[in-house]
Amino acid sequence: MGERSGYADVLVGLQYGDEGKAKIVDMLADQYDIIARFNGGANAGHTIVTPHGAARLMQVPSGAFHPGKLLYIGSGCTVNIVKLAAEIEALTAQGAQLDGRLFVSHRSAVIQPIHILADRAQGRDIGTTGNGIGPCYAGLAARMRGKERTAVQLRDLLRDEDHAFAMMQANSDSEGFQATRDEASEAIWLEVFASMRAAWERVRHFVSENDLFLTDKVADGARVLFEGAQSVMLDLVHGDQPFVTSSHTGPAYAYVGGDLPCQFHRKSIGIVKAVVSRVGAGPFPAELGGERSERYCTDAASKGIGQSEERQTADVEALLACGDDFATGVALRVLTGEYGTGSGRPRRIGLLDLPQIRRVVALHGIDELFINKCDCLTYFGKTPKGIIPVIVEYRAEAIGLRPVIAEFSAFEPLDRTARPSTTPAVAAITDIPASLEALLQFIERHVGCPIVGVGVGPGRADIVQLTPSPVH
Ligand code: IMP
């Protein structure tokens, strides 16, 4: 590395997604020159509160509202051209200037119409987001079906647009889906491809053919923040197959999918939230209400029951007061707004699971932690026991693993009225109640990683930055 060279930090979620990564990226963005994505695609969905109102990001990195910061979408990402064009339009309308700031690797794989159809037909049991991400990565790995190429990268569109669209058409004619084709669906296909061509016109000038884009910039002193999509518990290999996403979500993958040599790595930042959630199917040992909660959420998602329906029917005070785990989960979901950003699906709710965090901190070499949604822990004060339950161990028993729960003192809601929610400042450490501080110190010791920030509310100003205490 040269004397002038910069570095990269990688920020990833340590649970099942939706830990509030975008909010932390938005807060840290000023310390970096480039914010980059390395995995996933339009399956990531997050909302950040900006001075221009709430902005919804799916494929564009979360630094969009920091003028002067470059944004990079690496080759490890899948790109939905139509959604990217719409996102660029929407962000531009909200005041984010992206021309000359946003760069997309020409090696990123294109989400083809057939991928979305296949995902919606086959991904139901996993509870995928239906964005075609899995079939797209699968096509990349398959490379060919007979004499036809299965994957289309953005570079194929740059080289020969007509040929790339012919490849996508051939893929959409592939086995299994041919049987469902009729005149009506033929017209829909034509429309879909026409809208892709129109979107491509908007997107093409953001595509970079320079594989050394980040490398050259970092060698010249640039500081990069890689922003992970999904989270490490949803990793294709290290998560619980098949209830995972289809890309690698750990920090090491940033240097493959993000197009930068790993020699520039400085540190890995992990984001967790104090009340955990999972959307879609799959193991969730800390789930409040266990299988009942999973069944209820799956059923609610299929019936289109979301935030407004639950809010109308749930008496949260009564649910919390009854002391039943399932009821507590429903109340916490309503009170903390845990519904899918894109789909609106109710998320399954669980307790903070320290053995799980400890394992992923060790597995992925996490250097520091942010804990979001600590303010949400105050709701446990309204349960009959009035304490905050945290899982500290799993004991093997005949029926399987039994969580061992430690109890922490509840605290009063934090007074956030003094801070305007759009100020990108941070709150003072004195804002943290003593019992929350005791819990944070316990977490640090238990998971073996310093906590550097605590989320105490939804706004940009609701993050308390901490000086890490020595980890024992
Ligand atoms: P896919 O990524 O759409 O294939 O979905 C695979 C699994 O990952 C499903 O359980 C999804 O609910 C989950 N998933 C994908 N993206 C996100 C996300 O951004 N947040 C939380 N869960 C996600």
Side-chain angles (χ1 to χ4, degrees), residues 40-60:
N43 51 346
H46 32 243
T47 308
I48 49 171
V49 181
T50 77
H52 319 273
R56 210 165 147 238
L57 297 154
M58 293 182 94
Q59 299 178 90
V60 173

Side-chain angles (χ1 to χ4, degrees), residues 110-119 132 165 168-169 172 189 192-193 196:
V110 175
I111 298 280
Q112 303 173 33
I114 192 70
H115 296 151
I116 295 172
L117 272 191
D119 195 18
F165 274 100
M168 289 194 253
Q169 183 73 58
S172 69
W189 279 109
V192 167
F193 281 116
M196 275 187 88

Side-chain angles (χ1 to χ4, degrees), residues 79-83 109-122 130-133 135-136 145 150-152 157 164-174 177 180-181 185-197 199:
V79 174
N80 180 320
I81 296 170
V82 174
K83 287 196 169 173
V110 175
I111 298 280
Q112 303 173 33
I114 192 70
H115 296 151
I116 295 172
L117 272 191
D119 195 18
R120 293 191 179 162
Q122 292 148 12
N131 280 292
I133 311 293
C136 183
R145 183 189 307 105
T150 45
V152 171
L157 280 162
F165 274 100
M167 279 162 63
M168 289 194 253
Q169 183 73 58
N171 282 332
S172 69
D173 290 341
S174 65
F177 287 90
T180 62
R181 302 283 293 273
S185 63
E186 203 63 45
I188 294 171
W189 279 109
L190 286 176
E191 218 172 279
V192 167
F193 281 116
S195 66
M196 275 187 88
R197 280 196 189 250

Side-chain angles (χ1 to χ4, degrees), residues 52-112:
H52 319 273
R56 210 165 147 238
L57 297 154
M58 293 182 94
Q59 299 178 90
V60 173
S62 299
F65 287 93
H66 292 262
K69 309 291 171 189
L70 298 185
L71 308 167
Y72 183 69
I73 299 177
S75 63
C77 297
T78 59
V79 174
N80 180 320
I81 296 170
V82 174
K83 287 196 169 173
L84 182 58
E87 195 174 332
I88 290 169
E89 263 349 297
L91 294 176
T92 308
Q94 284 185 291
Q97 178 51 256
L98 298 177
D99 288 326
R101 284 180 62 211
L102 174 66
F103 298 85
V104 188
S105 164
H106 66 138
R107 293 183 189 274
S108 301
V110 175
I111 298 280
Q112 303 173 33

